[in-house]
Amino acid sequence: MNLIRQTIPVVIFLILVLIFWEFCVYIFNIPEYLLPKPSVIFTKLFQSLSFLYPHIGVTALESFLGFLLGILLGTLLAIVFVHSKTLELSVYPYAIALKTVPIVAIAPLLIVWFGNGILPKVIVAAIISFFPVVVNTVKGLRSIDEEAFDLFDSLAASKWQVFIKLRIPTSLPYIFSSLRIASTLAVIGAIVGEFSGADKGLGFFILISSHRLETVDMFVGILLSSLLGITFFYAIALIEHYVVPWSRIISSEAE
Amino acid sequence: MQQLRKTSGNLYLSHVNLSFINGKNSLPVLIDISLEISSGLFITVVGPSGCGKTTLLKVIGGLLTKNDKQISLKGEILVGGVEPSQAKFSRMFGFAFQNPVLLPWRTVSSNVKLPFELIGHNNTQDGEKILDLLKLMAILNFADAYPNQLSGGMQQRVNIARALVHDPSILLMDEPFGSLDELTRERLNCVLLNIHRVKQPTIIFITHSLTEAAFLSDKIIVLTHRPAKIKCIINSTLGPDRPINIKTSIYFARLVEQLRAELADIN
């Protein structure tokens, strides 16, 4: 019920924007290579869907693998940082510094190193989704309540018990919020990787459409890559819904 | 078993001094605390805010030890004949903190079960025991609820149930009823007295309420301002039987008055 009430205004707004867009293109007679009508874009989308499936598949695979790699490395590094002050002090600044290097600048180098296949895209997606995971997981693992720690200590809990029964559950809401960010970043990473050199994927499709000035196709590509990001985002949100039910209760109480 | 309980709840503190160390500064918190408490007594600790009551509780419970770098701890502390850090491993302590400290990802019954899990205790009667405790605390209906669906009073009851579940020989309670309304507080006081009578743990109970201290205790320890010394130890003139209407008796009024005078004398 709540979901429907939240969705209706969003959908209505979207429809209004599309109608306005269609209307403007029609009134001002804007040429299609500059701004195509939404109706034309959607028609083209459904016509070329079967042709685009492989491209969508490749980009989805690259994003997904990059996302997995990024969160795996990010979580491991965060655990290491939390348990070793020395490593945190020596490595964490570099992890942050690496973040300031524009990912677009690294992508061509990775193409040189790893060729034209999906590997360099997976790496770009992994690098870009890695940072929010490290930062949030470190924050989450650190956020245990002093009194909760005392409680475990008073029962002579082992380090392992504290980690499994206190640190991990405490940090899960933080980790999931970083996963939601990372999920959409991973798609961006994959597309950026494809821009730098690829022969398939949505990024590749957008790029060649741009060279051919096929604006309708570009819009189709943009639309599909956003949909991909949104799908990843909601997939994570859905998993979170079942894995971290208490954080849902917290947020619904807060409303 | 009964004999074992009787000795394991003994408490012995001799010339305990504790300071917090911050760089070169040292902040004395406890000065020359000596106590001898025999097993099964209900002790309350009163004193001005921030005087070091919680610190005393943590020292007894082995949460602050001589190994901690931020403190300097001198003197001898024996719990049931052993050091607190050792007593901790025999799971002698049940802690009820000032805040309920419930784990938000666990249901009420699963929160109460935590001590069993940490101890590695696994009996078929555990589930039943947890439900009995929840019943005693009048929160049985909320066994499957999550902590943030409960009111503050109910959360405190879960906190206390969890402190009791593994039958500790020493219960350390840091102002657990401080945030509750008067009626709930009175009811939980009676529940606690009942549990004390049945299971006979030694209870160290911190409170700010003079009537609560008078109603519950066998002995009341009055602490001074920080750094805390023992101002005096008052033995209760009330018998072991504590019906709620004892609060209207002349003995009770005198006890509270005596307590008030001692506290006023500090200031």
Side-chain angles (χ1 to χ4, degrees), chain A residues 55-68 103-104 107-108 110-111 116-129 182-207 224-225 228-229 232:
Chain A
H55 292 292
I56 302 171
V58 167
T59 307
L61 184 68
E62 291 162 356
S63 319
F64 183 65
L65 292 179
F67 174 71
L68 283 188
I103 194 73
V104 190
L110 292 170
I111 301 286
N116 233 7
I118 74 164
L119 183 61
K121 289 83 172 180
V122 170
I123 295 176
V124 176
I127 293 176
I128 199 171
S129 46
S183 65
T184 50
L185 287 178
V187 177
I188 295 176
I191 303 259
V192 165
E194 287 167 0
F195 279 173
S196 311
D199 49 15
K200 44 190 170 315
L202 285 174
F204 164 74
F205 178 71
I206 294 170
L207 201 66
L224 284 173
S225 29
L228 193 59
F232 271 119

Side-chain angles (χ1 to χ4, degrees), chain A residues 127-244:
Chain A
I127 293 176
I128 199 171
S129 46
F130 163 85
F131 294 106
V133 178
V134 179
V135 175
N136 273 296
T137 308
V138 166
K139 207 198 280 173
L141 290 173
R142 285 264 159 77
S143 68
I144 63 167
D145 174 18
E146 206 52 46
E147 278 189 310
F149 186 77
D150 277 347
L151 171 70
F152 276 66
D153 190 15
S154 76
L155 291 157
S158 66
K159 268 195 165 175
W160 177 246
Q161 284 174 326
V162 171
F163 186 70
I164 290 297
K165 290 180 193 288
L166 186 58
R167 275 196 202 275
I168 293 282
T170 307
S171 61
L172 275 182
Y174 290 86
I175 293 179
F176 266 100
S177 83
S178 75
L179 293 192
R180 270 184 273 135
I181 302 168
S183 65
T184 50
L185 287 178
V187 177
I188 295 176
I191 303 259
V192 165
E194 287 167 0
F195 279 173
S196 311
D199 49 15
K200 44 190 170 315
L202 285 174
F204 164 74
F205 178 71
I206 294 170
L207 201 66
I208 53 159
S209 307
S210 151
H211 293 328
R212 296 178 190 152
L213 215 63
E214 282 173 6
T215 317
V216 181
D217 279 343
M218 289 182 69
F219 270 98
V220 168
I222 293 166
L223 189 63
L224 284 173
S225 29
S226 332
L227 283 177
L228 193 59
I230 293 170
T231 310
F232 271 119
F233 183 88
Y234 278 103
I236 297 296
L238 191 70
I239 295 172
E240 182 179 10
H241 187 86
Y242 289 103
V243 177
V244 198

Side-chain angles (χ1 to χ4, degrees), chain A residues 145-158 161-162 164-171 173 244-247 249-250 253, chain B residues 58 61-64 88-89 91 93-95 97-101 103-106 114-115 117-120 146 148-149 162 166 174:
Chain A
D145 174 18
E146 206 52 46
E147 278 189 310
F149 186 77
D150 277 347
L151 171 70
F152 276 66
D153 190 15
S154 76
L155 291 157
S158 66
Q161 284 174 326
V162 171
I164 290 297
K165 290 180 193 288
L166 186 58
R167 275 196 202 275
I168 293 282
T170 307
S171 61
V244 198
W246 70 91
S247 108
I249 290 162
I250 293 168
E253 298 275 303
Chain B
K58 285 187 173 178
L63 297 181
L64 291 172
K88 203 161 70 179
F89 279 92
R91 274 71 185 218
F93 300 115
F95 249 101
F97 297 91
Q98 201 163 2
N99 298 314
V101 211
L103 306 180
W105 53 89
R106 285 170 173 253
L114 182 75
E117 284 178 27
L118 295 181
I119 293 170
Y146 282 96
N148 38 36
Q149 297 170 309
R162 181 181 55 196
H166 55 296
D174 190 354

Side-chain angles (χ1 to χ4, degrees), chain B residues 52-85:
Chain B
K53 299 188 288 286
T54 302
T55 306
L56 179 62
L57 214 59
K58 285 187 173 178
V59 168
I60 294 172
L63 297 181
L64 291 172
T65 65
K66 291 181 179 173
N67 295 332
D68 282 324
K69 290 194 182 78
Q70 289 95 357
I71 63 166
S72 138
L73 179 59
K74 296 199 179 73
E76 193 181 10
I77 308 162
L78 293 175
V79 180
V82 297
E83 297 232 330
S85 49

